[in-house]
């Protein structure tokens, strides 16, 4: 009974951490409670959120994807490049999403069909994505249209901010984030796709022996994650406009850490989209809160790394507690 209570308490740690972080930065940060800061938190949560939604499926199967951030940046770079070359903006948007899907499909096949360890496979595609983006753009920054641009001015208004309900700069991206959160949650918890993802993460060999084609489902999981990475690149481009080659490395840790903080086990077999969403907002609040406290970039990186370690230790504690509950 005591172990059950401890496990239930651990599920409350992520929401509690979000509240505590917000209170701390409200006290020590500059203008942290301002409307502009709320918009900044939301805007950085969009691309972290889409990245995290996708990798939640992967981690539940017991896998990992280290290419998230670099593929996201590669997708945004190539979309911006084609727009600069005269492509219609809608085609550049679709290309951005397609780049993520293709890399996800490649990852899935390397892992499921060629039997490469996920760490090695996605580390390789991380390098490939970084190189591809730099090669095609000739290591030049790419710019997406601003809200006032004559061509493509709708881009930011559709995905980030627009005048809505009589409010200028209304964060319309929230609708996209919530909408895809609901879709991802339904897929994970209400479909065969989600059930098989949990089954693979819980016991892959038993799932295979039950007649399920584990390899095909793994490819599907990584491909779906690739779609979310493409969406992540799209929202990163919409939020920041200018995309610089080589800046994607490390971004994947925001998404992965958010997933782990949200309660998804790195050993696979358990997790939820609600937890992931809470973890995403924790990472977004942390990112903007540290900046509002006037900490320089190296300190922000250092403290974010400490959060990554803390998230893994928390996952280990949760796993041990769950094992003790099963034994009792």
């Amino acid at each position: 009974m005591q172990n059950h209570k401890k496990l239930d308490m651990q599920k409350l740690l992520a929401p509690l951490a979000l509240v505590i972080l917000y209170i701390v930065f409200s006290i020590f940060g500059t203008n942290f409670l301002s409307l502009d800061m709320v918009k900044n938190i939301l805007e950085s949560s969009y691309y972290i959120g889409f990245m995290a939604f996708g990798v939640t499926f992967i981690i539940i199967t017991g896998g990992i994807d280290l290419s998230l951030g670099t593929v996201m940046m590669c997708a945004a770079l190539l979309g911006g490049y084609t727009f600069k070359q005269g492509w219609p903006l809608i085609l550049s948007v679709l290309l951005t999403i397609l780049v993520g899907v293709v890399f996800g499909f490649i990852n899935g096949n390397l892992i499921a069909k060629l039997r490469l360890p996920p760490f090695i496979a996605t580390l390789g595609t991380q390098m490939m994505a970084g190189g591809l983006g730099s090669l095609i753009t000739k290591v030049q920054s790419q710019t997406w249209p601003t809200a006032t641009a004559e061509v493509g001015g709708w881009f930011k208004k559709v995905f980030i901010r627009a005048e809505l309900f009589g409010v200028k700069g209304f964060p319309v991206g929230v609708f996209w984030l919530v909408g895809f959160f609901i879709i991802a949650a339904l897929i994970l918890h209400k479909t065969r796709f989600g059930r098989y993802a949990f089954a693979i993460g819980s016991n892959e060999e038993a799932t295979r022996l039950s007649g399920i084609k584990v390899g095909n489902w793994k490819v599907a999981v990584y491909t779906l994650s690739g779609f979310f990475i493409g969406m992540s690149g799209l929202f990163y481009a919409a939020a920041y406009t200018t995309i610089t080659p080589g800046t994607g490395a490390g971004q994947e840790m925001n998404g992965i850490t958010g997933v782990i903080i949200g309660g998804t086990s790195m050993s696979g077999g358990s997790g939820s989209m609600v937890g992931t969403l809470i973890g995403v907002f924790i990472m977004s609040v942390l990112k903007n809160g540290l900046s509002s406290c006037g900490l320089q970039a190296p300190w922000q990186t250092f403290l974010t790394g400490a959060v990554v370690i803390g998230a893994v230790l928390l996952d280990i504690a949760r796993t041990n507690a769950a094992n003790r509950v099963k034994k009792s």
Side-chain angles (χ1 to χ4, degrees):
M1 187 70 175
Q2 190 174 359
N3 285 335
H4 281 287
K5 287 182 178 178
K6 188 185 238 183
L7 199 58
D8 289 338
M9 284 299 294
Q10 286 179 337
K11 291 179 180 179
L12 297 175
L13 286 178
L16 184 61
L18 179 59
V19 172
I20 291 173
L21 275 178
Y22 209 89
I23 292 172
V24 169
F25 289 133
S26 298
I27 296 171
F28 296 104
T30 303
N31 297 323
F32 192 76
L33 294 177
S34 66
L35 184 59
D36 284 340
M37 181 58 72
V38 172
K39 290 179 179 178
N40 288 339
I41 291 172
L42 287 173
E43 286 180 13
S44 60
S45 71
Y46 300 155
Y47 76 89
I48 296 174
F50 280 102
M51 193 188 304
F53 294 160
V55 80
T56 297
F57 289 94
I58 290 175
I59 295 177
I60 283 174
T61 65
I64 195 67
D65 188 351
L66 300 181
S67 69
L68 297 173
T70 310
V71 171
M72 175 190 77
M73 209 61 66
C74 176
L77 276 170
L78 297 185
Y81 175 79
T82 54
F83 175 70
K84 190 176 179 181
Q85 297 302 308
W87 283 33
L89 182 55
I90 188 63
L91 291 183
S92 295
V93 166
L94 293 175
L95 176 68
T96 302
I97 299 172
L98 181 62
V99 169
V101 171
V102 169
F103 271 101
F105 181 75
I106 292 171
N107 281 334
N109 277 280
L110 289 174
I111 293 162
K113 304 297 184 180
L114 299 182
R115 306 288 184 180
L116 288 181
F119 181 90
I120 299 300
T122 58
L123 184 62
T125 51
Q126 178 193 71
M127 296 177 184
M128 290 170 61
L132 180 65
S134 296
L135 282 170
I136 292 179
T137 62
K138 296 181 174 61
V139 202
Q140 299 294 314
S141 296
Q142 303 301 312
T143 304
W144 286 74
T146 62
T148 56
E150 291 185 10
V151 178
W154 57 265
F155 182 59
K156 277 184 175 289
K157 295 174 184 176
V158 167
F159 293 108
I160 297 295
R161 296 184 185 181
E163 184 171 347
L164 197 65
F165 307 123
V167 178
K168 289 186 177 180
F170 187 91
V172 293
V174 169
F175 296 130
W176 289 91
L177 186 69
V178 172
F180 276 95
F181 159 73
I182 293 171
I183 291 171
L186 288 174
I187 293 173
L188 182 62
H189 299 292
K190 299 295 182 181
T191 68
R192 181 188 299 178
F193 189 99
R195 289 195 298 273
Y196 286 176
F198 281 112
I200 292 168
S202 297
N203 193 324
E204 182 174 329
E205 187 58 28
T207 305
R208 182 179 288 107
L209 291 174
S210 67
I212 295 170
K213 295 182 179 179
V214 170
N216 291 346
W217 285 102
K218 276 191 175 182
V219 173
V221 164
Y222 278 88
T223 303
L224 178 63
S225 178
F227 167 79
F228 280 109
I229 296 171
M231 291 294 295
S232 179
L234 190 62
F235 276 86
Y236 188 93
Y240 298 107
T241 305
T242 300
I243 315 299
T244 304
T247 56
Q251 291 285 352
E252 63 279 351
M253 295 314 300
N254 290 320
I256 292 172
T257 305
V259 172
I260 298 169
I261 290 174
T264 298
S265 174
M266 289 197 72
S267 59
S270 67
S272 72
M273 280 298 165
V274 172
T276 290
L277 187 63
I278 294 171
V280 165
F281 281 116
I282 288 175
M283 296 307 295
S284 186
V285 167
L286 183 68
K287 178 178 182 291
N288 288 276
L290 292 174
S291 179
S292 75
C293 289
L295 292 177
Q296 295 179 342
W299 274 109
Q300 295 179 35
T301 304
F302 174 83
L303 291 173
T304 303
V307 171
V308 172
I309 294 172
V312 175
L313 291 174
L314 176 62
D315 176 56
I316 293 171
R318 275 197 307 254
T319 302
N320 290 338
N323 289 337
R324 285 194 295 270
V325 169
K326 289 178 182 177
K327 288 179 182 179
S328 62

